Amino acid sequence: MARVILGVGAGIAAYKACELLRLLKEAGHRVRVVPTHDALRFVGEPTWAALSGEPVTTDVWAGVDEVPHVRLGQTADLVLVAPATADLLARAAAGMASDLLTATLLTARCPVVYAPAMHTEMWEHPATRQNVSVLRARGAIVVEPAVGRLTGPDTGSGRLPEPAELLAVAQAVLSSRTSGGVCPPVTPGPDGGERDSDPDLAGRRVLVSAGGTREELDPVRFLGNWSTGTQGYAFASAAVARGADVTLVAANVELPDPAGPKVIKVVSARDMHAAMLAQARTADVIVMTAAVADFRPVKRSDSKIKKDGRVPEPIVLTANPDILADLSARRATQGPAGQVLIGFAAETHPDLEVARAKLARKGCDLLVVNPVGDGRGFGSVESEAVVLGADGSCTPIPRRSKGALADVVLTLAVALLELVSRHIDRPVPARLCQVS
Ligand code: CTP
């Protein structure tokens, strides 16, 4: 059970925070709601108190003997602010302590997650952009608002992500805090301790591909694969929880968009190739979890192919671009130097020697080799893998949730980023961690 502070700003999306509170409680957490004074105009104090089973105060003058403006922040495992209004982000960025919530934000030593919700104009205003940058630079996680219907008839970027998605971010942040100890970091932090609550991907850009591409035969048929995108989405959420600015290129995924990443939807391998290369230039880490079709039909019929009593024509295929190989070739010639490239090899019969050859062929730093088929892999909740490093290292990851697996792989990526930023030649490191 974690101690979560749910900060609520004065926005209409406060009503969604009631559902978020319920989900956090159902997940077993102890939740203390700290609304701003004006947030109570949207949802009243009795609602928060009844749903949380905890007292609710907005200012620093209640229960002064317990010094709540310091104690709440100091003892929390997570502070989650939803909705975070433009005003609240500005006060937090300025380091103000004008009410119990902002005082709690100043005293918190745990991860802090802001889920902004406001009108598109406010979200896009340079003042808000700057406040968000300041908070991110300080290590806070600011998830991207969802795009969709806003309070009035208008639509755009600024919606509060759905409560279930915010719960997923909260869970990922809390579990990365504890699973930091599962995979010991290659180097200790500056204080000599383990990676714990540090958002160790803060200020980094992570690009993830997910799902399975589709290659059209005609307007109603395609060649595709069974990939559901679960592992890629787990990577995106895990990277958001570690403070990264995440872009997710999703091919035909039916899962709800995760809270946090910018999502780009694609259909075919060529669409994904264009999107990934366009996004790659500024990425620090690229994770290619997508199942990309190696071939596409040479010919796409403009109308539905009919049987017409004929013997069917054979489908002639042509090769698609190899996205991962192209990303690695471009990194070699145009940079950015130090970018970490991670490939996936989903194999029905994993063979590490063959996988090593694939890693070399693709030119990536890490290759995550995992078994698929016969109920394993695609769509399942858990996964297991062996991560091969370009330096010859081999890290087995026993069966665990796809989110936990993503966290271990990201820990390896962070170790590579840290070594590069200390100006050590790549590929590195000789010793990657063993995962128990
Ligand atoms: N990949 C890619 N572009 C392709 C095919 C694969 O970027 N056209 C990426 C996948 O996203 C994955 C990695 O390359 O990260 C390995 O994919 P895999 O299908 O295992 O490799 P292939 O090159 O297709 O080799 P094969 O299917 O023959 O094993």
Side-chain angles (χ1 to χ4, degrees), residues 288 290 292-294 321-324 343-347 358 361-362:
M288 277 294 303
V292 186
D294 291 322
D322 188 319
I323 304 170
L324 186 54
F344 261 71
E347 307 284 0
K358 186 177 282 189
R361 195 168 70 243
K362 302 267 180 179

Side-chain angles (χ1 to χ4, degrees), residues 14 34-35 51 55 98 100 110 118 137 140 146 194 215 219 236 238 254 287 314 323 338 348 370-371 430 432:
V34 184
L51 288 176
S98 43
L100 185 57
C110 59
M118 62 196 74
E194 291 181 348
E215 310 301 320
E254 288 182 5
V287 191
I323 304 170
T348 46
N370 66 325
L432 291 178

Side-chain angles (χ1 to χ4, degrees), residues 219-231:
V220 294
R221 303 182 181 93
F222 58 83
L223 301 179
N225 59 70
W226 291 111
S227 176
T228 59
T230 319
Q231 183 64 75

Side-chain angles (χ1 to χ4, degrees), residues 35 69 89 106 126 138 141 168 221 227 266 304 340 353 386 408:
H69 71 290
L89 291 172
L106 275 187
R138 285 189 199 137
I141 293 161
R221 303 182 181 93
S227 176
V266 295
K304 186 180 167 198
V340 175
E353 280 317 303
V386 172
V408 174

